[in-house]
Amino acid sequence: MSSERLLLAIVAVLVAVIVGVAVLWQPDAPAPAAPPTLPAGGEFTLQSADGPVSLKDFRGRVTLLYFGYTYCPDICPTTLSALTAGLAQLTPEERARVAVVFISVDPQRDTPEHLKTYVAFFDPGFVGVTGSPAELGELAGRYGVFYQRQPGGKDDAYIVDHTAETFAVGPDGRLLARMAHGTPPDQVAALIRQYLNQP
Amino acid sequence: MKRLSVIFAALSLSTAAFAGAADDVVVHEPYVRLAPPNAPATGAFMVLRNGGAKAVKLVKAENPASRLTELHNHINDNGVMRMRQVPAIEIPAKGEAVLKPGGLHVMLIDMKAPLSEGQVVPITLGFDDGSSKVVEVKVQKVMPAAMPAAAPMQHGQHHH
Ligand SMILES: [Cu+2]
């Protein structure tokens, strides 16, 4: 390589670096403080007692997704009660822009009709959905959700281990956050408000 | 008449002696969680205090509202809740066992009929020495304030 070519190559690299910095430089952007990585999340269509429900049906709203099953004696009711209490702290205008979707990972026992009655106990506006094992498995993978039927128990009395986090999806369908099991209602309300008011 | 009362006293004494662990354990703040009407199962929670000098084990529970009653625990495995039947719940000497949401519970499985708020479910607690006691437990709507402290929320990075 001639020294002239080498010089040209160096200049080209420098120009690329300068252009790159100029394009990417955002003095206002806060330094990313190593945020936890969120799963990809994304679209789905599952079955409710009132027909198919898709995540995109809730565009413009903050949607809270919870993966559980109605045989769950404690963990699922605790979460759904906390969401109910959290939503009660919102103004009616804010409340109208929030959806809660309970996704049963136990379609063998939880029919859409059964789910409708179950979630209505917490809030008549909550939506209960489920799907085929294949659909649920694929969706759970995208949301980083684990669930597994435990051996033992009679035909109808088995336990399902499952991720007990609640997922917050933004008005544009993007997965924004996940809340740990046991998040108290005021934190639920604060999280919803934060994402409702986000530009 | 006097003899009869002596016999009664002796009888009640022997009952107390036989009661054993059941007499040492006092149950505080018991409640059954009011579940959705079609929920197949629910949980009973309480604090068991052992005033005795010996550890006591709760080994079984029975109730007339469900077809099956089991002792359970929850293990939070990195956000995954794993519920497991346990053979016994130990109540240390002069100590307590806390049955609360997210942890130990008496699980009422396969309800015979939906429970209603305020209804009383008599739960029979059986201990490792063969003694037992009946606790009248009210069905309550569980307030989320009674939940365990939460881990911090995880927010994602916002890509623009
Ligand atoms: Cu249980």
Side-chain angles (χ1 to χ4, degrees), chain A residues 119-190:
Chain A
V119 298
F121 170 81
F122 299 96
D123 186 313
F126 287 4
V127 180
V129 296
T130 191
S132 71
E135 287 170 325
L136 294 166
E138 190 273 331
L139 177 62
R142 280 192 278 121
Y143 279 84
V145 165
F146 172 89
Y147 64 94
Q148 187 175 52
R149 177 181 165 165
Q150 287 309 295
K154 296 185 199 77
D155 287 347
D156 255 9
Y158 53 88
I159 289 165
V160 182
D161 291 352
H162 64 99
T163 298
E165 290 164 330
T166 302
F167 296 87
V169 176
D172 57 359
R174 207 156 39 110
L175 178 56
L176 294 178
R178 52 186 169 190
M179 289 184 279
H181 175 72
T183 299
D186 53 341
Q187 278 186 38
V188 172

Side-chain angles (χ1 to χ4, degrees), chain A residues 8-23:
Chain A
L8 212 65
I10 290 170
V11 168
V13 167
L14 281 176
V15 166
V17 166
I18 290 164
V19 168
V21 166
V23 167

Side-chain angles (χ1 to χ4, degrees), chain B residues 23-106:
Chain B
D23 268 3
D24 287 338
V25 174
V26 181
V27 178
H28 293 270
E29 298 149 43
Y31 62 94
V32 170
R33 175 197 291 279
L34 177 67
N38 65 347
T42 190
F45 307 93
M46 62 195 76
V47 177
L48 300 165
R49 285 209 185 104
N50 179 6
K54 256 175 54 186
V56 168
K57 275 181 181 158
L58 173 67
V59 292
K60 66 173 178 182
E62 279 162 7
N63 89 94
S66 70
R67 290 184 184 84
L68 201 60
T69 317
E70 292 180 354
L71 306 177
H72 279 203
N73 196 10
H74 273 111
I75 301 144
N76 186 341
D77 178 4
N78 274 316
V80 176
M81 283 294 181
R82 302 180 188 275
M83 182 168 69
R84 293 292 178 268
Q85 188 173 5
V86 293
I89 294 172
E90 181 160 322
I91 315 154
K94 304 283 175 199
E96 62 183 31
V98 181
L99 280 60
K100 63 172 187 207
L104 292 165
H105 57 279
V106 174

